[in-house]
Amino acid sequence: MKHLLQHSVWKTFGIILVTSAGYLNGCSKTAEEPLETAFSRSAENAEMANEGLTRSQRLVDDWLDQTDPRTGLIPRNLWESGDQSEIWNPKDAAADNFPFLYLTAHFTDPALSEGRMLDMLFTETALTSRVDRIPDVYSFRKQDFLHDDPDPDRIIFGAAEYIKDGLIVMTELLGPGPWHSRMAGILDDMLYHMSDGPVLFDTFDEVVNMEINGELLQVLSRVYWMTEDDKYLDFALQIADYYLLGDHHPTRDFDRLRLRDHGGEIVSGLTELYATLHYANSEKAQRYREPLHEMLDRILEAGSNEDGMLYNEFNPQTGEILDQRLADTWGYVLNGHYTVYLLDGIDAYREAAITALENVIQYQQYNWESGSADGDADVVEGALYLYNREPVPDAAEWMDRQMAIMWSKQDSAQGRERPEGKWRQRGVVEGWHGDGNFARTSLMHALWKSQGTSIRPWREDILLGAVMEENDLIISVSATDDWTGRLVFDRQRHRDYLNLPLDWPRLNSFSEWFTADPDRQYAVNDLSTGQEVNYSGAELHEGIRIRMDAGEEKRYIVRAL
């Protein structure tokens, strides 16, 4: 009943705020009150978006203070000793930290991202490529590879992590660029050296195999759409056949399935390939349909609690819960269920996502990932993907509170102990590669609070927030000091950058909120001047010029024509 009541309030706003012209005329008190409420909400969102960006920029500043003086690369961790204390590695430093330091700078300091941080990518490519373009662990002490021999298992594992957790994220948000070229080079050389088929490590167990193969399925599916090259789809089909058509079914043939990181990737990978096949090869999709549904059904039946939260690990054959802790990655796994709901109309899969979103507020004080900020980051990220499709009010409240908990760990000694004098405590969170995920989710949260809009140039005193009311985007921008710049609007990145036929929820993507279509016209009403100006979507992508005096707040209403 509570959710229905809250939804009713927003619908009431939509009825009163019928047109942009109505906002401007604003003669009626009943029209003015909900409009003021909407702008108050956008101003509140601006405060939270600003905190996320500011904290992420502090993180960037302090991590860049720790770069290796000769290579300019960031180390894996700041608190380890011995050989492990002074290395760059693909699966951690490259996959989990560098991309999100770069993306933070993209929004807050483009000169930094396009200069020093882009140089880091070029340096990494030159120094760490070991098997053709596939990277390996690099030692700052040795100024050479840490390991004498290029172990195939280590190299393929690290490369899969790098392209799936790092480079594909940069490509999803920024589009083509050096990060995409790096990803394509690594992926092509991996496929060449893995021509025998699915990755099966001799030195790791089947859970790790599921992780790597799941990661490859996600990347291969997206790169297939970007290139329309069948070689990527063909390799993905080899992996999926192994799990869905052979005797390696994730829930039928194994006595453990890990739903948290390092295992649950197989669910995301198989469902994302299934979505690809729905459009690219319907006959193959039909063959996968029953075994895929079997896997998803069993996860909901035996791997979740009464509130829809998923356990870290369970035995899919007996239903025994092998790890009673809840997976901070429940949203990642339910992405897969929701994707299949979009394709096959299985209402139970949508209900699973909604149930988790409705009940997660009960877990406000839950100790995700043993108290690490990385657990907070992952659990909010996964919830955001689903909330983008199913905006449950309680989930929004929970995410804001959870972000505050995560941010507090930047200001305290929570998480990993900070060695005395090792680094400044202003920006570094826990001093390991998982700090990048703090920035990642802060950026995702900030873009939700601004509905995908951003400002150029960014400054810490500028507050930008937005809310959607029916078809209208309500924007609040304010500045402590004089400022002139651009207000930039997002695009349909899944279409423009990836060429996807459907924006299904994807791990390692930045959700789209308000997006401007380049082929449409938009009316932008500036309430401070009473002027309405029409822009094309392409012009909104470039940004509209704004000038603000010190202490001024600008209010805009944007509507597609």
Side-chain angles (χ1 to χ4, degrees):
M1 179 63 71
K2 179 181 179 183
H3 299 318
L4 292 175
L5 178 61
Q6 289 177 314
H7 279 304
S8 175
V9 172
W10 306 142
K11 291 296 184 183
T12 301
F13 289 170
I15 293 171
I16 295 173
L17 307 180
V18 178
T19 66
S20 299
Y23 292 148
L24 289 174
N25 293 334
C27 297
S28 165
K29 181 179 180 181
T30 58
E32 291 173 357
E33 287 178 345
L35 177 57
E36 186 62 36
T37 299
F39 276 112
S40 295
R41 289 171 55 220
S42 67
E44 292 172 1
N45 284 348
E47 294 278 358
M48 295 198 75
N50 177 266
E51 180 163 7
L53 291 170
T54 300
R55 287 181 173 278
S56 297
Q57 183 57 45
R58 292 178 193 168
L59 183 76
V60 171
D61 291 340
D62 279 12
W63 266 95
L64 291 185
D65 281 348
Q66 303 297 325
T67 55
D68 173 57
R70 285 181 287 186
T71 65
L73 299 178
I74 58 171
R76 174 179 183 260
N77 291 336
L78 303 181
W79 43 265
E80 289 179 319
S81 59
D83 289 340
Q84 294 295 317
S85 66
E86 297 182 16
I87 64 168
W88 175 99
N89 67 335
K91 71 185 181 74
D92 297 323
D96 295 331
N97 205 354
F98 166 76
F100 306 110
L101 302 183
Y102 186 98
L103 292 176
T104 296
H106 169 76
F107 287 102
T108 60
D109 190 351
L112 176 63
S113 66
E114 296 167 13
R116 180 181 176 185
M117 300 200 72
L118 194 57
D119 287 343
M120 294 169 69
L121 179 62
F122 294 144
T123 298
E124 171 271 305
T125 302
L127 292 181
T128 73
S129 298
R130 188 163 200 182
V131 179
D132 298 329
R133 289 166 289 185
I134 308 175
D136 198 5
V137 183
Y138 187 86
S139 168
F140 300 147
R141 291 183 184 181
K142 294 174 62 177
Q143 289 292 292
D144 200 351
F145 294 109
L146 177 65
H147 305 283
D148 293 333
D149 298 317
D151 178 68
D153 286 0
R154 179 186 67 246
I155 290 175
I156 294 297
F157 182 85
E161 289 273 294
Y162 188 14
I163 60 177
K164 175 261 186 182
D165 284 335
L167 295 171
I168 193 65
V169 187
M170 299 175 74
T171 302
E172 284 254 3
L173 187 58
L174 304 180
W179 41 86
H180 171 255
S181 299
R182 180 65 169 139
M183 177 183 69
I186 293 172
L187 181 60
D188 284 347
D189 289 343
M190 289 175 69
L191 298 189
Y192 173 78
H193 288 283
M194 298 187 301
S195 58
D196 291 339
V199 184
L200 297 174
F201 290 112
D202 293 332
T203 55
F204 297 123
D205 63 20
E206 186 64 41
V207 173
V208 178
N209 291 332
M210 285 186 180
E211 176 182 6
I212 301 306
N213 285 320
E215 291 177 333
L216 285 174
L217 284 170
Q218 294 172 60
V219 174
L220 289 165
S221 296
R222 296 178 213 182
V223 174
Y224 165 73
W225 286 112
M226 294 176 70
T227 63
E228 297 184 337
D229 190 332
D230 286 338
K231 73 178 181 182
Y232 300 111
L233 190 57
D234 290 343
F235 196 89
L237 290 174
Q238 292 182 60
I239 299 175
D241 283 353
Y242 176 83
Y243 288 106
L244 296 179
L245 301 184
D247 55 358
H248 304 92
H249 188 274
T251 56
R252 187 193 317 130
D253 297 316
F254 293 104
D255 59 7
R256 57 190 288 238
L257 179 62
R258 192 171 183 172
L259 298 177
R260 56 153 292 172
D261 276 344
H262 314 301
E265 291 83 359
I266 194 63
V267 180
S268 300
L270 289 171
T271 52
E272 190 158 345
L273 176 63
Y274 182 71
T276 291
L277 296 173
H278 180 85
Y279 298 95
N281 187 336
S282 59
E283 181 179 349
K284 193 70 170 182
Q286 187 61 34
R287 292 192 65 195
Y288 287 160
R289 189 176 192 271
E290 184 176 342
L292 186 75
H293 287 189
E294 178 185 348
M295 176 187 72
L296 298 177
D297 290 343
R298 188 57 177 161
I299 289 171
L300 297 182
E301 180 183 41
S304 65
N305 69 9
E306 64 278 4
D307 294 323
M309 298 291 106
L310 303 182
Y311 292 105
N312 269 352
E313 189 172 6
F314 75 108
N315 182 330
Q317 295 183 4
T318 66
E320 178 188 2
I321 304 303
L322 303 177
D323 186 339
Q324 294 283 343
R325 294 172 298 174
L326 299 180
D328 59 327
T329 54
W330 56 265
Y332 301 170
V333 175
L334 293 179
N335 274 349
H337 290 78
Y338 200 87
T339 295
V340 177
Y341 153 72
L342 293 175
L343 302 171
D344 295 342
I346 308 298
D347 289 336
Y349 297 163
R350 176 177 181 246
E351 288 303 318
I354 294 174
T355 297
L357 289 172
E358 289 179 333
N359 290 327
V360 71
I361 198 166
Q362 302 176 43
Y363 296 85
Q364 194 65 71
Q365 301 301 320
Y366 190 80
N367 199 25
W368 304 103
E369 199 71 21
S370 302
S372 171
D374 178 54
D376 303 316
D378 286 353
V379 74
V380 172
E381 179 194 12
L384 263 177
Y385 294 142
L386 297 172
Y387 177 85
N388 179 260
R389 279 84 182 173
E390 299 288 345
V392 174
D394 278 356
E397 179 182 342
W398 170 82
M399 286 187 287
D400 287 347
R401 292 180 183 175
Q402 197 69 44
M403 290 299 293
I405 292 171
M406 183 185 79
W407 288 337
S408 73
K409 296 173 184 179
Q410 190 178 43
D411 305 323
S412 68
Q414 295 184 52
R416 300 187 186 277
E417 183 177 353
R418 303 166 186 259
E420 184 68 27
K422 184 67 176 178
W423 60 79
R424 299 203 314 267
Q425 294 192 8
R426 177 173 173 266
V428 170
V429 181
E430 293 170 348
W432 64 300
H433 51 275
D435 279 5
N437 293 335
F438 176 101
R440 176 204 67 205
T441 303
S442 293
L443 289 178
M444 291 179 173
H445 183 264
L447 288 171
W448 166 38
K449 294 300 179 180
S450 69
Q451 290 294 295
T453 60
S454 58
I455 53 173
R456 303 288 195 280
W458 180 82
R459 213 171 58 198
E460 190 171 336
D461 67 295
I462 303 171
L463 304 180
L464 167 64
V467 295
M468 285 297 299
E469 290 292 349
E470 293 294 322
N471 297 320
D472 296 309
L473 179 66
I474 310 296
I475 302 175
S476 169
V477 193
S478 62
T480 302
D481 298 316
D482 294 349
W483 179 84
T484 300
R486 291 178 295 127
L487 173 62
V488 180
F489 294 76
D490 200 6
R491 63 175 69 232
Q492 293 183 34
R493 289 173 277 103
H494 76 280
R495 180 193 67 186
D496 296 349
Y497 295 159
L498 299 188
N499 196 35
L500 292 182
L502 176 69
D503 185 23
W504 56 75
R506 302 177 301 286
L507 179 58
N508 297 314
S509 66
F510 277 69
S511 296
E512 298 172 11
W513 303 98
F514 179 88
T515 58
D517 187 329
D519 298 324
R520 295 191 68 176
Q521 291 289 313
Y522 295 83
V524 179
N525 292 316
D526 182 345
L527 269 63
S528 63
T529 64
Q531 292 183 335
E532 177 182 302
V533 180
N534 292 347
Y535 296 91
S536 69
E539 289 175 316
L540 294 184
H541 296 162
E542 294 299 318
I544 61 176
R545 299 291 297 178
I546 296 179
R547 182 187 180 280
M548 289 189 294
D549 296 330
E552 182 180 8
E553 180 189 12
K554 288 278 193 179
R555 292 181 166 189
Y556 297 94
I557 302 171
V558 181
R559 165 172 284 192
L561 298 177

